[in-house]
């Protein structure tokens, strides 16, 4: 990686950490410049304004998430030819990735754009929306493949089940931060895994819930 690309990557990493910590509105270009150890002209060489910075941050964030999904669910495919078992393995691996983050998941840039959408131009908002649509389509394709071999035990809208993945991850991030408990996200992913297993698995695989002990 050349020096220019290294500087650009450093700017994006610093800006992302700041945005996830306190929001886009509270993140100033001057603050990012100072942390990166560059001049103002150096910053504007890479990004002409905050919207261009936001676009680059989002594309970087989406690509990183795609790599995680490709890795964990690709490994699931390598370990099982059955699409249901492969997906369950992938969800277990995803939960382990979330649990392995030392201080919990840092946050979601997509959610930051959603909550502060008036700060961004149409292109930034479109990137955020299309990224979620892409992830939903990814999981819907997987669910379609599973359903062909393992018809669901209940009548469900598979689009809604696919949407649940994004809802659970973002909701788990929020819950983890609110409750100061990094394991909440891992547990939510594992709960979704159990739901998928009960929905598509054989009836005998479903075990009754044990009552809580005093």
């Amino acid at each position: 990686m050349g020096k220019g690309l290294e500087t650009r990557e450093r700017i994006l990493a610093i800006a992302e950490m700041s945005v996830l910590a306190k929001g886009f509105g509270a993140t100033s270009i001057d603050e990012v410049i100072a942390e990166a150890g560059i001049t103002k002209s150096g910053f504007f060489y890479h990004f002409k304004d905050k919207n261009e910075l936001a676009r680059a941050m989002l594309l970087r964030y989406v690509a990183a998430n795609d790599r995680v999904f490709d890795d964990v669910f690709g490994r699931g495919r390598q370990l099982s030819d059955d699409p249901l078992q492969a997906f369950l393995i992938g969800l277990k691996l995803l939960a382990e990735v979330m649990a392995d983050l030392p201080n919990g998941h840092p946050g979601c840039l997509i959610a930051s754009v959603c909550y502060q959408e008036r700060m961004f131009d149409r292109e930034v908002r479109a990137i955020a929306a299309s990224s979620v649509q892409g992830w939903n389509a990814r999981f819907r394709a997987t669910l379609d493949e599973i359903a062909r071999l393992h018809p669901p035990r209940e009548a469900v809208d598979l689009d809604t089940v696919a949407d649940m993945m994004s809802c659970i991850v973002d909701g788990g991030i929020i819950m983890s931060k609110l409750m100061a408990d990094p394991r909440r996200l891992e547990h939510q992913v594992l709960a979704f895994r159990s739901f998928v297993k009960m929905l598509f698995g054989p009836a005998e695989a479903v075990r009754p819930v044990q009552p809580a002990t005093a």
Side-chain angles (χ1 to χ4, degrees), residues 58-205:
L58 269 180
L59 291 173
R60 176 179 179 271
Y61 178 83
V62 171
N65 276 272
D66 284 341
R67 286 193 295 272
V68 171
F69 288 150
D70 288 343
D71 179 44
V72 297
F73 293 109
R75 287 164 64 192
R77 288 285 190 179
Q78 292 173 353
L79 293 170
S80 178
D81 293 329
D82 183 295
L84 174 59
Q85 293 306 315
F87 190 50
L88 294 175
I89 293 169
L91 289 171
K92 183 68 164 60
L93 293 172
L94 181 62
E96 290 176 0
V97 169
M98 300 305 182
D100 199 40
L101 296 172
N103 299 307
H105 197 288
C108 178
L109 281 183
I110 304 298
S112 296
V113 171
C114 177
Y115 292 136
Q116 304 177 67
E117 63 175 6
R118 292 187 179 182
M119 298 188 62
F120 304 100
D121 62 22
R122 183 179 299 176
E123 185 177 352
V124 171
R125 296 194 299 270
I127 291 171
S130 66
S131 65
V132 175
Q133 290 168 350
W135 292 329
N136 291 347
R138 171 199 286 261
F139 294 118
R140 173 59 200 260
T142 298
L143 293 172
D144 282 339
E145 186 179 7
I146 292 171
R148 283 193 290 270
L149 287 179
H150 306 278
R153 300 178 62 246
E154 297 286 340
V156 293
D157 180 352
L158 292 183
D159 281 333
T160 301
V161 178
D163 290 353
M164 285 176 67
M165 188 65 189
S166 293
C167 295
I168 284 169
V169 171
D170 278 345
I173 291 171
I174 293 170
M175 184 67 71
S176 294
K177 286 184 170 293
L178 184 64
M179 305 304 292
D181 180 4
R183 300 300 295 270
R184 296 289 180 111
L185 176 54
E186 174 200 2
H187 294 165
Q188 288 300 308
V189 174
L190 291 175
F192 178 67
R193 180 181 183 273
S194 295
F195 169 74
V196 171
K197 188 174 182 179
M198 287 188 290
L199 180 63
F200 294 102
E204 58 269 20

